[in-house]
Amino acid sequence: QIWESTKDHYDEKSRRLLAAAMAKAFGHGGLDLTNKITGVNKASIRLGINQLNGKMEIRDGQQRREGGGRKRITEIHPQITSQLEKLVSPETKGDPERTLLWTTRSTRNLAEELTNNGFPVSSRTVCDLLSLLGYSLQANIKTIEGQPVCDRDSQFEHINDRVKKFQDRNQPVISVDAKKKDNIGNYRNNGKEYCPKGAPRKVNTYDFKDKNLGIAIPYGIYDIARNAGWVNVGISRNTAEFAVESIRRWWRDMGSVVYPDATELLTVADGGGSNGSRVGLWKAELQKLSNETGLSIGVSHFPHGTSKWDKIEHRLFSFISQNWRGKPLETLMTVVSLIENTRTKTGLTVKCVLDTSLYEKGKKITDEEMNGLNLNKDDFHGEWNYTLRPNYRDSF
């Protein structure tokens, strides 16, 4: 408002210096902001800043007449902004033979396309025009959870209801999943940590697996009610057998201690991977665990493409990643120590153990073995929600 009410009382030089003063006052990003507010060309604002900083002389003397100088491209070609917006709009429909539809929307490509359409401009001018139109450089953002799944929201509600019923009966509820595997060695780990200035930690240039050091596969069990994590770090493969062995270890060393009167266990898992809803070995191994412990093991899967909703992702794994950010995972014990020392202000505690067993990939379960499971499907999406009860005749 101040600019609009005073600009007509200044000559060209004064307007340039006033715009430059505004840009300096705004600080970082002031050039772009001043350009949007005043409409003064960025090159003129830069000139004014240099003059105010004493880098260029402010000369007195003849002023260019009002309206002099090169006209704006929008005055020469009033349709250029609408033409440019058509080119960059994600909703643009057009001839599939047009090359721009199959190239990056860089300012160079946009300038070339506009020039071919009778609007000769440079890439720099295109950049200024895009800024005026409210466009900026944007990266992709991960927000779309795959293709829509039938009854997705209803399954979320079903899981919540099932969890609440178990907790009301003081029966344990766990969220389970495998974290991505990591190569062991002096490799780059995402994130930053404080180091002496100019002396960052040096790591290997390439991330090729070291056959002697191997890999780490953390499989997590998160006790939702107690805000407590258990992580079993494997060195072999992320199989269903490994997944259930991780749950077995949690129950033996932690679960049975804090839930001594439990008769049931609810396991919430995503829809794919080693604990996927279609993995027969996962169910067969859970049947073995049910037989061993006497627990009725309920399972609820998140629909495919919605695993980020699983509580273990944002209540356990995210904090583990924060705790070891920027630290090379040089040894398996480094992994175990970093995981076990993960803490949060809300009271998260984590226990971690190393699993050196070797798990065979590709194990199959026959139809006869599947039919022998004491598996009871829920009425609502039994492929996602089911319970494995002890099959005592198989325990002897």
Side-chain angles (χ1 to χ4, degrees):
Q1 292 179 348
I2 295 175
W3 172 265
E4 289 297 324
S5 62
T6 61
K7 66 177 183 178
D8 293 334
H9 298 282
Y10 296 106
D11 57 30
E12 182 184 13
K13 180 177 69 176
S14 300
R15 281 197 293 269
R16 180 176 69 246
L17 294 176
L18 178 57
M22 289 173 59
K24 290 184 65 177
F26 286 136
H28 181 70
L31 181 66
D32 290 332
L33 184 56
T34 303
N35 170 252
K36 289 180 181 179
I37 294 173
T38 66
V40 176
N41 186 275
K42 291 181 182 180
S44 295
I45 299 174
R46 291 191 189 95
L47 173 61
I49 292 173
N50 287 333
Q51 290 175 331
L52 290 178
N53 290 337
K55 295 181 179 179
M56 296 185 68
E57 181 183 356
I58 303 177
R59 296 181 180 178
D60 295 325
Q62 185 178 4
Q63 289 287 326
R64 186 169 57 186
R65 65 180 175 83
E66 191 67 29
R70 186 169 56 184
K71 291 185 178 181
R72 293 172 180 268
I73 189 67
T74 50
E75 295 177 18
I76 301 173
H77 299 289
Q79 305 87 2
I80 192 170
T81 52
S82 60
Q83 184 69 21
L84 177 59
E85 197 155 23
K86 288 180 182 179
L87 293 175
V88 296
S89 172
E91 303 302 325
T92 297
K93 301 292 188 295
D95 182 358
E97 297 300 317
R98 291 174 64 116
T99 57
L100 188 63
L101 297 177
W102 309 107
T103 63
T104 57
R105 293 187 179 95
S106 68
T107 54
R108 179 178 60 82
N109 287 336
L110 291 168
E112 183 178 344
E113 185 75 4
L114 286 170
T115 301
N116 291 338
N117 289 335
F119 304 97
V121 290
S122 66
S123 60
R124 179 67 255 178
T125 301
V126 170
C127 186
D128 291 339
L129 290 172
L130 287 172
S131 180
L132 290 173
L133 289 171
Y135 284 84
S136 62
L137 290 172
Q138 302 283 337
N140 300 151
I141 181 171
K142 292 183 178 180
T143 56
I144 301 173
E145 289 276 5
Q147 295 298 319
V149 178
C150 180
D151 290 333
R152 186 195 73 163
D153 292 345
S154 298
Q155 174 64 1
F156 289 165
E157 294 173 3
H158 185 80
I159 291 174
N160 288 334
D161 290 343
R162 205 174 182 194
V163 167
K164 188 176 185 302
K165 289 176 181 177
F166 267 73
Q167 291 179 335
D168 288 345
R169 298 195 299 268
N170 197 32
Q171 300 297 307
V173 180
I174 57 175
S175 174
V176 304
D177 199 8
K179 203 175 187 298
K180 76 174 184 67
K181 67 181 180 181
D182 285 287
N183 291 335
I184 299 300
N186 190 34
Y187 301 110
R188 180 180 182 274
N189 200 358
N190 289 334
K192 298 178 181 180
E193 65 173 347
Y194 280 102
C195 298
K197 190 173 182 179
R201 173 68 182 268
K202 292 185 170 83
V203 296
N204 297 345
T205 301
Y206 301 107
D207 293 336
F208 300 127
K209 174 183 171 183
D210 187 316
K211 294 182 180 179
N212 295 320
L213 296 175
I215 60 173
I217 308 172
Y219 193 94
I221 294 92
Y222 176 70
D223 185 332
I224 295 174
R226 296 179 55 251
N227 192 27
W230 169 282
V231 180
N232 188 38
V233 178
I235 64 169
S236 178
R237 293 183 175 89
N238 179 24
T239 67
E241 191 177 9
F242 167 62
V244 177
E245 175 61 23
S246 300
I247 299 173
R248 179 181 286 109
R249 291 182 176 210
W250 166 82
W251 176 253
R252 183 183 62 213
D253 296 343
M254 181 180 288
S256 61
V257 176
V258 296
Y259 298 101
D261 300 323
T263 58
E264 302 171 277
L265 169 66
L266 178 60
T267 300
V268 182
D270 64 23
S274 59
N275 45 234
S277 59
R278 299 179 181 178
V279 181
L281 182 60
W282 158 254
K283 297 171 183 175
E285 291 295 323
L286 283 177
Q287 180 69 73
K288 292 179 184 178
L289 181 60
S290 176
N291 295 346
E292 294 168 14
T293 61
L295 294 170
S296 292
I297 303 177
V299 181
S300 284
H301 293 276
F302 281 96
H304 287 281
T306 62
S307 61
K308 295 302 180 185
W309 293 87
D310 202 342
K311 282 184 167 50
I312 194 171
E313 294 286 347
H314 48 85
R315 289 194 182 178
L316 178 61
F317 287 163
S318 63
F319 294 112
I320 291 173
S321 296
Q322 288 178 32
N323 192 53
W324 72 20
R325 66 182 184 273
K327 296 181 177 69
L329 306 177
E330 294 182 288
T331 67
L332 287 168
M333 292 314 300
T334 302
V335 174
V336 171
S337 297
L338 287 170
I339 291 176
E340 196 156 50
N341 283 282
T342 301
R343 298 287 185 273
T344 67
K345 292 181 179 179
T346 56
L348 173 69
T349 59
V350 185
K351 185 171 182 180
C352 185
V353 296
L354 185 62
D355 185 349
T356 57
S357 301
L358 301 180
Y359 296 94
E360 181 182 342
K361 187 178 181 181
K363 278 190 177 182
K364 301 293 182 182
I365 299 299
T366 65
D367 291 341
E368 183 180 356
E369 290 173 312
M370 286 297 296
N371 292 332
L373 301 180
N374 190 4
L375 188 148
N376 301 269
K377 295 183 177 181
D378 285 13
D379 293 334
F380 179 77
H381 279 287
E383 75 278 16
W384 293 338
N385 306 288
Y386 50 87
T387 302
L388 288 148
R389 294 187 170 89
N391 198 350
Y392 291 114
R393 69 173 183 271
D394 293 338
S395 301
F396 302 99

